[in-house]
Amino acid sequence: MLHNVLPLIPQYFGVKSSRSQRRFGETGWFLCYIVLSWSIGFSIWRDSPYYMNTRHLYANYPEDHVLMPYSLKWYYLVQTAFWISNLYTIFVEERRKDHMEMLTHHVVTIALVVLSYTFHFTRFGHVFMLVMDFPD
């Protein structure tokens, strides 16, 4: 999809630069992942006891927070893997002007996800990931 489908869109609109076509492909792939990830995360959130109820984010902590629903654990693991792969990717792609900012962003994101998982703040971490998917 990254190399065969997404570059066809800028070609159709007359973008000739291969660098711009490649960048469009990378951005398009990222957008596809974020939309899918956010949709799944929202679905998990909608079925949770803390949906639209912030009091349940910390209710009965840590007793009720140690065991996670399977879907939330899966979501956490996929998100963590995605951000780790993005951390790797910024070192193998050509360096951009915002290399240090992206490196910092990825390290902080991975740290927040891993620490919220480690200390059983997964409800808060889940909502945080949903909110932060839009700016990404």
Side-chain angles (χ1 to χ4, degrees):
M1 184 166 147
L2 176 62
H3 297 291
N4 296 323
V5 176
L6 292 173
L8 296 176
I9 297 170
Q11 286 175 359
Y12 176 78
F13 288 105
V15 176
K16 305 245 187 277
S17 166
S18 64
R19 182 178 181 186
S20 295
Q21 290 175 4
R22 187 176 63 247
R23 182 73 178 128
F24 181 86
E26 293 167 3
T27 305
W29 162 249
F30 189 74
L31 177 66
C32 290
Y33 172 80
I34 291 296
V35 167
L36 180 65
S37 168
W38 187 88
S39 299
I40 292 169
F42 183 81
S43 174
I44 295 168
W45 180 47
R46 189 185 59 226
D47 297 335
S48 72
Y50 51 93
Y51 175 66
M52 302 300 280
N53 188 348
T54 56
R55 290 181 187 198
H56 281 281
L57 287 174
Y58 301 102
N60 298 323
Y61 179 81
E63 293 83 17
D64 291 346
H65 294 250
V66 174
L67 296 177
M68 294 172 63
Y70 175 77
S71 57
L72 182 57
K73 184 171 243 180
W74 177 86
Y75 180 73
Y76 250 83
L77 293 174
V78 169
Q79 286 284 74
T80 305
F82 177 75
W83 289 111
I84 290 172
S85 72
N86 275 333
L87 183 63
Y88 169 75
T89 303
I90 65 170
F91 288 108
V92 295
E93 288 180 344
E94 66 182 71
R95 262 194 193 219
R96 298 190 178 132
K97 290 182 264 183
D98 64 347
H99 178 80
M100 287 308 295
E101 290 84 354
M102 291 306 292
L103 176 64
T104 304
H105 167 71
H106 292 332
V107 168
V108 168
T109 301
I110 293 166
L112 286 172
V113 172
V114 168
L115 289 172
S116 69
Y117 183 84
T118 302
F119 294 109
H120 307 295
F121 282 109
T122 53
R123 294 177 183 179
F124 181 77
H126 176 210
V127 173
F128 180 78
M129 285 187 277
L130 284 174
V131 171
M132 295 312 294
D133 271 348
F134 279 112
D136 283 335

